Amino acid sequence: MLAFFLVPTVASATATAPNTVITNTATASYTDANGLALSTTSNTVSTTVQNAPTMTLSSPSGQNVAVDDVVLSNTFTATNTGNASGNFTLPSAATISGTGGGTVVGYV
C-alpha cells in the first residue's frame, strides 16, 4: 500500500482578480502620402476576468524505492496558483504513473 498526503498552500504570485474589467482602446498617428498628419482611434473593447483556480502539485524531493508489501508515505504539496479560491476534489484512491514504466495505486 502507498499513502499520499496533500498539503494545501497559498500561491505567492498575484494574479488579476476575478470580475476585473479590462478595457482597451488603440490609437494611431501617422502621416499620409501627401504629408498630412492624421490619427485614428479604435472602438473600445472590454473583457471581464473569470474565476480561474488552478492546482499545481509538487512531489517530494528524492525518490523512494519499494519492494513488495512495503508501505511508503510521501507528502505532496497542492497549491492553488490561480486567481481565486476554488474547490478541488481529490479522489480517495489515485493511480500514479511514472516515466519508468511502473504504475502505483495510492490513497489520499
Side-chain angles (χ1 to χ4, degrees):
M1 175 175 42
L2 186 61
F4 297 99
F5 303 97
L6 295 175
V7 180
T9 61
V10 177
S12 60
T14 302
T16 304
N19 299 318
T20 299
V21 177
I22 299 172
T23 58
N24 186 51
T25 305
T27 58
S29 299
Y30 58 97
T31 304
D32 69 6
N34 296 321
L36 182 61
L38 300 166
S39 64
T40 187
T41 302
S42 74
N43 58 318
T44 299
V45 177
S46 298
T47 189
T48 302
V49 176
Q50 300 298 307
N51 181 12
T54 304
M55 181 187 289
T56 301
L57 187 65
S58 59
S59 61
S61 60
Q63 296 180 357
N64 289 319
V65 178
V67 294
D68 292 339
D69 297 325
V70 173
V71 175
L72 292 177
S73 177
N74 284 318
T75 300
F76 290 79
T77 302
T79 304
N80 180 356
T81 55
N83 68 349
S85 62
N87 296 318
F88 298 96
T89 302
L90 301 175
S92 59
T95 300
I96 302 160
S97 297
T99 57
T103 300
V104 177
V105 176
Y107 299 91
V108 175

